[in-house]
Amino acid sequence: MFQGVDNFYTVSVSAPGKVILHGEHAVVYGKTAIAVSLGLRSSIVIKEVNTASEPAVHIHLPCVELQENIPLAPTVKSLFHPKLAPGIAGKFHWKLPDKLDHDAHLLKVDEFLHIIKPNFDNLQSNQKNSLRSFLYVFSGIFGSTNLPVRSMNISMGSELTIGAGTGSSASFAVCLTGALIQLVKLKTASGHFDPFYDHTSEDFDMKEKEIISNWAYNCERIMHGSPSGIDNATCTFGSLVSFKKGSKPRHLDIRMDLRVLLVDSRVPRETKSLVMKVAALRQRNTSIVDHIMDACDHVAHTATQVSVLEKLSSDKCEPDIEADYQHLAELWDMNHCLLAALGVSHPTLETIRAAARARGLACKLTGAGGGGYAMVLIPPSTPRSIVDSLSGQLLELGFRVKETRLGGPGVTLEM
């Protein structure tokens, strides 16, 4: 969404979270992983404001309990005009985030933050990285233009739980980048608001989404060090994204709209320790574990076949759709059992799964396992009473339960 009044714009953008559908742990060994967009979304509103005081950016991120005022002039402009990576000739442009000298630009951002905020190092990690990501993208995009930068209020909300493996940081980065790019587009297209031009009918095209995803990937590097790229790609493009080690994530143009219960086991998971646990198991049982990984790979490929997924965007209880859901449920069961054989399930996940199976529903862990989230597949034919009964039991057991959808749209301009 955007509005323009007296040359001041408001932009609103949302982006989904993500979950791993298939390929957990196997992806570490060169197998295919499939991520899918989550119905739970983050949203951001950027509003330019007219103020008599010195121009500043007012940031409100309640999800990380952060509220900051950052002066725009003159110090923030020291971050403008970032350089291209070594060996690349020319002038940097915001459409080339993959060509940016990432380390040099981030170093300037960190130096700036320590100047304007002496207690920066005392902030929580997610607060620090949120500020770093914001200034990195803001100065990288606006700093390669000659557009006037006005005071603005930036407010973000999210339905995602931070640090739970649902892509909260990537969703934040995609929203932020999409909103700033849309603001640049509006300010570039017209020096004033044209009430006869319907910008609201436009959304991001594929090229713009690639740019957004690349900026978000750079933010993920700030957040996580060496990300795979699957989170930012899924939050940007939506639907399904496949990933294989050594290759760029690939958006799969497959229509899907799966209804699920997303169940938080409330058990913290440590991805690194679980990956090391599987590696140790493989060292002792190489051939067996490699066969399990091969089986996980076959599950991922089978689940993405058009014959299984393309029709799963309908809530109709037709026989062929029911058969497809049954096929997908079998794949979920196999995937979970293969991961359990690797030792990455958890008693709480098995409790959730048993409650679902008692009602004829498939359930699998998602992500690294060892806690975290489980997903229960809800076919269209499932009576409401069954869903309510399962949700009630899981809530009584102390789990958090959200009914949502998988496979929805990626980054979107909001009305």
Side-chain angles (χ1 to χ4, degrees):
M1 170 190 174
F2 84 96
Q3 295 171 335
V5 179
D6 296 329
N7 297 344
F8 290 87
Y9 293 99
T10 297
V11 175
S12 180
V13 171
S14 75
K18 77 92 186 60
V19 289
I20 301 296
L21 191 59
H22 295 293
E24 300 94 337
H25 288 281
V27 69
V28 177
Y29 299 92
K31 309 303 179 183
T32 298
I34 304 296
V36 61
S37 56
L38 190 59
L40 306 177
R41 300 177 72 87
S42 300
S43 60
I44 192 167
V45 177
I46 298 181
K47 183 177 182 179
E48 291 186 318
V49 293
N50 191 5
T51 176
S53 59
E54 289 296 319
V57 176
H58 310 280
I59 304 172
H60 182 47
L61 304 177
C63 50
V64 292
E65 299 180 346
L66 182 68
Q67 190 156 334
E68 291 289 339
N69 292 331
I70 299 177
L72 283 174
T75 51
V76 78
K77 299 215 172 160
S78 66
L79 303 176
F80 282 19
H81 311 295
K83 306 298 183 184
L84 290 165
I88 302 177
K91 184 179 179 181
F92 177 73
H93 191 277
W94 63 264
K95 293 183 179 181
L96 304 171
D98 53 330
K99 303 294 192 296
L100 175 65
D101 189 336
H102 173 78
D103 292 334
H105 188 51
L106 182 58
L107 179 60
K108 290 173 68 176
V109 166
D110 287 342
E111 290 172 347
F112 173 80
L113 281 168
H114 281 91
I115 291 171
I116 68 163
K117 196 168 181 61
N119 68 335
F120 177 72
D121 288 331
N122 296 328
L123 294 177
Q124 296 176 14
S125 177
N126 55 13
Q127 293 174 326
K128 288 192 288 188
N129 285 331
S130 295
L131 273 177
R132 296 169 83 205
S133 295
F134 166 74
L135 276 172
Y136 179 98
V137 177
F138 176 80
S139 59
I141 291 177
F142 272 96
S144 67
T145 74
N146 294 316
L147 296 170
V149 183
R150 298 188 174 93
S151 289
M152 58 183 73
N153 295 330
I154 298 178
S155 181
M156 182 166 183
S158 184
E159 299 172 317
L160 301 166
T161 301
I162 293 175
T166 53
S168 59
S169 63
S171 184
F172 161 76
V174 168
C175 279
L176 173 63
T177 302
L180 289 172
I181 286 176
Q182 180 65 8
L183 187 57
V184 166
K185 284 169 56 183
L186 293 173
K187 293 168 78 71
T188 301
S190 174
H192 63 281
F193 177 63
D194 182 355
F196 300 102
Y197 182 63
D198 183 15
H199 296 272
T200 59
S201 65
E202 296 194 357
D203 214 324
F204 301 109
D205 60 29
M206 289 302 290
K207 180 60 179 175
E208 289 168 341
K209 287 183 178 180
E210 289 175 9
I211 296 169
I212 291 170
S213 184
N214 285 336
W215 273 111
Y217 175 76
N218 288 352
C219 290
E220 286 287 274
R221 291 174 67 186
I222 296 172
M223 297 281 189
H224 305 297
S226 301
S228 68
I230 196 168
D231 283 21
N232 52 276
T234 309
C235 295
T236 301
F237 295 101
S239 189
L240 274 76
V241 172
S242 71
F243 173 75
K244 202 167 186 177
K245 199 173 181 179
S247 303
K248 289 186 67 175
R250 184 169 63 94
H251 175 238
L252 303 176
D253 190 17
I254 298 175
R255 293 187 306 112
M256 189 179 72
D257 183 21
L258 298 179
R259 180 177 163 215
V260 298
L261 286 183
L262 187 66
V263 187
D264 184 355
S265 70
R266 304 186 73 169
V267 175
R269 85 278 185 277
E270 297 182 5
T271 300
K272 185 176 180 180
S273 63
L274 289 160
V275 170
M276 291 175 63
K277 180 179 180 180
V278 173
L281 181 68
R282 182 175 180 268
Q283 191 172 20
R284 296 189 299 270
N285 306 279
T286 305
S287 179
I288 297 170
V289 170
D290 283 351
H291 278 85
I292 292 174
M293 299 301 184
D294 287 338
C296 290
D297 195 51
H298 286 299
V299 167
H301 284 291
T302 303
T304 54
Q305 290 176 0
V306 177
S307 60
V308 176
L309 293 178
E310 191 173 57
K311 294 179 254 181
L312 299 184
S313 59
S314 171
D315 275 333
K316 296 178 181 178
C317 302
E318 298 174 0
D320 57 338
I321 293 176
E322 283 299 306
D324 286 335
Y325 268 93
Q326 181 59 42
H327 190 177
L328 193 59
E330 292 169 352
L331 294 171
W332 281 39
D333 282 335
M334 286 189 279
N335 194 170
H336 180 91
C337 291
L338 289 167
L339 292 169
L342 295 175
V344 297
S345 186
H346 188 275
T348 57
L349 295 172
E350 296 304 327
T351 296
I352 296 166
R353 189 164 179 266
R357 285 180 62 83
R359 294 166 174 82
L361 300 175
C363 175
K364 69 178 290 292
L365 65 83
T366 178
Y373 279 100
M375 299 187 299
V376 181
L377 180 64
I378 309 296
S381 61
T382 309
R384 182 74 244 177
S385 59
I386 295 293
V387 178
D388 291 342
S389 170
L390 176 58
S391 297
Q393 180 183 353
L394 295 175
L395 288 169
E396 287 178 4
L397 291 171
F399 304 119
R400 296 190 182 101
V401 183
K402 290 185 179 180
E403 186 172 340
T404 186
R405 299 269 179 169
L406 303 183
V411 62
T412 306
L413 289 171
E414 294 296 321
M415 300 299 291

